[in-house]
Amino acid sequence: MTVTVGTSSRQVANGAVDSFVHTVLYSRTLSYEHIKKLHAQLSPPLVLINRTLPEPLFHSVTFDQEATATMIMNHLIGYGHQRIACITGLLDNPTGNARLTDYINTLKKACHCI
């Protein structure tokens, strides 16, 4: 199995198009069209992590960023924590943005401190 984390199409193509048994792809920056092209070039199955596409061409493993952030925040607040940091990653992608938005919304609801 190969796990490829790529920020450019060249990185992903070089890492993913080898003849491995499975390829797991985590990339927020590749276009839908490029992922379709990779899928057509690969003989092993392709699995996307943390990304869904308009067509179910292959398997995808995702989870609800907002619900998870709310659950974690409520857990920490429930135990009396008041100084809770938010690690988002880059804010120009949907994952980082979802984490920060829910962090702020949960704090507003729980303690009205923002």
Side-chain angles (χ1 to χ4, degrees):
M1 174 178 7
T2 258
V3 177
T4 301
V5 177
T7 55
S8 74
S9 57
R10 182 175 294 139
Q11 282 179 310
V12 173
N14 289 341
V17 184
D18 293 331
S19 55
F20 290 97
V21 177
H22 291 82
T23 301
V24 177
L25 175 63
Y26 177 79
S27 178
R28 281 280 185 199
T29 58
L30 293 180
S31 71
Y32 172 59
E33 291 303 318
H34 190 84
I35 292 172
K36 280 177 52 174
K37 186 191 295 184
L38 280 175
H39 174 66
Q41 293 173 346
L42 293 171
S43 58
L46 177 65
V47 178
L48 292 180
I49 297 177
N50 201 26
R51 185 158 172 194
T52 56
L53 298 175
E55 295 176 64
L57 297 175
F58 26 75
H59 298 289
S60 178
V61 179
T62 62
F63 67 95
D64 186 339
Q65 295 284 340
E66 292 87 353
T68 304
T70 298
M71 180 182 66
I72 292 168
M73 290 293 295
N74 286 331
H75 176 79
L76 294 171
I77 292 166
Y79 277 96
H81 294 283
Q82 296 178 354
R83 296 177 53 166
I84 304 169
C86 179
I87 301 171
T88 63
L90 298 174
L91 293 177
D92 64 348
N93 75 53
T95 302
N97 216 340
R99 289 177 186 163
L100 180 61
T101 299
D102 200 68
Y103 168 82
I104 292 169
N105 290 338
T106 303
L107 283 179
K108 284 180 182 177
K109 290 176 191 173
C111 61
H112 308 286
C113 55
I114 289 185

